[in-house]
Amino acid sequence: MKAMLSASIMCADPLNMQKELDFLEMQGIDYFHCDVMDGKFVPNLMLSTNIIRAVKERYRTPLDIHLMVEDPERVLRWLPFGAGDIVSVHYESVTHLDRVLQTIIGKGATPVLALNPATPLWCAEYALDRIGALMLMTVNPGYAAQKMVPYALQKIEDAKEFLTQRGHPEILVEVDGNCSLENIPKMQRAGADILVVGSSSIFSKEHGIEKGYEMTMLACSEK
């Protein structure tokens, strides 16, 4: 089955972001992926609350907010999200994980638990009753245009088995990191349900947004 696509807006052309997001919404993109980075949990700063609020107000496309921050409980208070949106927090960044997941649920959104590449799947064990998706980082978080870590595809397969064995086959597996035209078919075959697509596919600077979208959809259709 073809995976859903979450377009990483930090990879959009900053001088043409509205034009590119208008195009993607018109094409029926599944999510707008909004990375929030604090320069502490990851060595980068992205995206401002003003940008996320503007996207939320203008578009009908659901948000996929990815918190790569220390103290996500504090940051959650600043962000606009609700029914239909998904919000991911990192296992590695949270002291009181269950409380954070309940906060997201309380605002009407679906919580997602994100795991860094070397974080084992069993860390999600006691959060499975709360989450709607498990996000697997296939690069070390913080920057776009990185290469996929070697064991990423195996971890996607293992995650699907892990969820099924624990009675939660309905939990989706989201993949974030180097979802390139080459890697998309491999990730889908491994079991990915949502792909975060950015500079190596849909927002390709070489091809532009329209051609990048076309090529991404072709990659998704490969068996």
Side-chain angles (χ1 to χ4, degrees):
M1 188 175 69
K2 186 183 295 186
M4 291 182 282
L5 297 179
S6 186
S8 179
I9 68 173
M10 82 170 190
C11 299
D13 179 348
L15 298 182
N16 292 288
M17 180 180 287
Q18 181 176 325
K19 178 182 177 182
E20 294 186 348
L21 299 191
D22 284 351
F23 171 79
L24 290 174
E25 177 157 277
M26 186 170 61
Q27 301 307 312
I29 198 78
D30 296 292
Y31 294 99
F32 286 141
H33 186 85
C34 304
D35 286 306
V36 181
M37 308 181 191
D38 62 359
K40 296 179 180 179
F41 180 67
V42 292
N44 200 359
L45 290 170
M46 286 287 173
L47 290 156
S48 77
T49 53
N50 286 340
I51 290 176
I52 297 172
R53 187 170 293 108
V55 172
K56 178 67 174 175
E57 290 174 355
R58 178 176 176 84
Y59 298 102
R60 297 183 304 275
T61 300
L63 300 185
D64 173 11
I65 298 175
H66 182 188
L67 295 178
M68 288 177 272
V69 300
E70 294 180 358
D71 192 9
E73 287 182 270
R74 175 177 55 90
V75 178
L76 281 172
R77 296 197 295 268
W78 306 339
L79 296 171
F81 62 87
D85 300 324
I86 61 177
V87 180
S88 58
V89 294
H90 272 261
Y91 171 84
E92 304 86 359
S93 74
V94 183
T95 302
H96 303 289
L97 177 60
D98 191 74
R99 181 184 298 158
V100 174
L101 298 178
Q102 288 190 66
T103 298
I104 295 168
I105 293 169
K107 292 186 68 172
T110 298
V112 179
L113 182 60
L115 303 179
N116 282 341
T119 301
L121 295 168
W122 57 257
C123 292
E125 185 89 43
Y126 295 105
L128 298 181
D129 288 335
R130 300 279 193 206
I131 63 175
L134 185 64
M135 176 188 282
L136 303 181
M137 297 301 301
T138 49
V139 301
N140 290 297
Y143 297 103
Q146 298 185 70
K147 296 295 184 184
M148 181 173 64
V149 297
Y151 48 83
L153 295 175
Q154 184 60 56
K155 191 174 183 182
I156 297 170
E157 291 185 19
D158 293 346
K160 296 298 285 189
E161 183 178 0
F162 171 84
L163 294 170
T164 299
Q165 288 179 345
R166 282 151 181 80
H168 287 281
E170 79 287 354
I171 294 178
L172 303 178
V173 172
E174 182 171 6
V175 175
D176 187 357
N178 196 213
C179 295
S180 65
L181 300 175
E182 177 185 359
N183 288 333
I184 283 171
K186 301 174 186 176
M187 291 170 168
Q188 286 193 142
R189 287 195 292 270
D193 300 299
I194 305 172
L195 297 171
V196 178
V197 286
S199 59
S200 59
S201 52
I202 207 165
F203 288 113
S204 166
K205 288 181 172 56
E206 178 184 356
H207 298 107
I209 188 66
E210 294 188 16
K211 186 65 174 177
Y213 176 80
E214 178 185 343
M215 295 174 72
T216 301
M217 295 305 292
L218 283 173
C220 288
S221 67
E222 290 186 28
K223 303 295 184 182

